Amino acid sequence: MKTEMDFEELMDEAYGLPNGPAKLGMLEEAARVADVNGMEEEAYEARSEIVETATFCGYPMKALIAFSWQLGKFDQQPEEYDEETLMWSYKWILGKMPDFPEISREKILVLLEDFGRRFKSYGYSERSYWYYRFRIFMDFGELEEAGRSYDRFRTMDRDFMSDCEACEQDEIMRYFLLKGDDEKVLEAAQPILKGRMSCAEIPHLTLSEILMPLYRLGRTAEADKHQTKGYRLIKGQNDFVQSFAEQMDYLTRTNPAKGIDVLEENTGVCC
């Protein structure tokens, strides 16, 4: 039987790996070792890491399963665990929840309100609640309600639990994209395109999102430059399936031969 020492070795090795299937597999094995040996705190630590890693390397269902375990354990023994870690996991899960058609709108909204209640009870800014409400209603296609949440979260102070400015700005871009306002999309993209905002996923997402707005505005030379740079950033990474779709949409209209190359290079990644 594997022991506590094996758990520590697995976690240390996982921490040294980039986000991806290898790291995720290492963390899942660490969680299994912790479960077998009745190591509850260690099992919680491993699940917290699984939520983050699975979210950012394209395995949202694995993240959801780990978070369900994490949330249940926290509610059983809240004095034993750190609410900050839990709430970061909660944010990542809320961001992926609308991707699952088997999870009803009503269930998502129940979780959103639970998230908001917990955030408020811990004394954090309500900005994150309104920001995630904004995102979720965009995912529902209810842009009027999303707009009301947009107006609210933009007036509230940031705190250390807020998402990074680059991610927030990219979601604002998405809002104007859904509203069909290409000029506003590109205006919102400027802080990112000028390098004033960036993170692990930005400008990766942004450079593909602006391709069709630029195309519709007749700015294809500019779009071509962003397509090339954006593709280099996302190539081979399965958490950017939507970005690959946006790249293909643009290339199908402007350079089908290049689009075929992109498709062939990434078929195994995106499936």
Side-chain angles (χ1 to χ4, degrees), residues 210-221:
I210 62 173
L211 296 178
M212 287 308 298
L214 286 168
Y215 173 80
R216 287 189 289 265
L217 293 170
R219 296 161 59 178
T220 54

Side-chain angles (χ1 to χ4, degrees), residues 203-209 211 223-237 240 243-248 250-251 258-267 269-270:
H204 308 50
L205 297 173
T206 310
L207 292 170
S208 296
E209 290 165 340
L211 296 178
D224 286 342
K225 293 178 182 178
H226 291 309
Q227 185 277 320
T228 299
K229 181 179 179 181
Y231 180 61
R232 283 200 301 267
L233 290 174
I234 65 173
K235 183 178 178 180
Q237 300 187 59
F240 292 98
S243 297
F244 286 117
E246 290 160 349
Q247 292 256 335
M248 289 301 301
Y250 176 72
L251 291 172
K258 188 174 183 180
I260 291 172
D261 289 340
V262 169
L263 181 64
E264 289 178 344
E265 289 173 353
N266 294 279
T267 298
V269 173
C270 297

Side-chain angles (χ1 to χ4, degrees), residues 14-45:
Y15 285 135
L17 294 172
N19 280 345
K23 180 176 182 177
L24 184 58
M26 200 75 65
L27 292 169
E28 289 177 325
E29 176 62 13
R32 190 192 68 78
V33 169
D35 289 343
V36 167
N37 289 279
M39 300 154 55
E40 292 190 355
E41 291 186 12
E42 289 82 356
Y44 189 89
E45 176 190 354

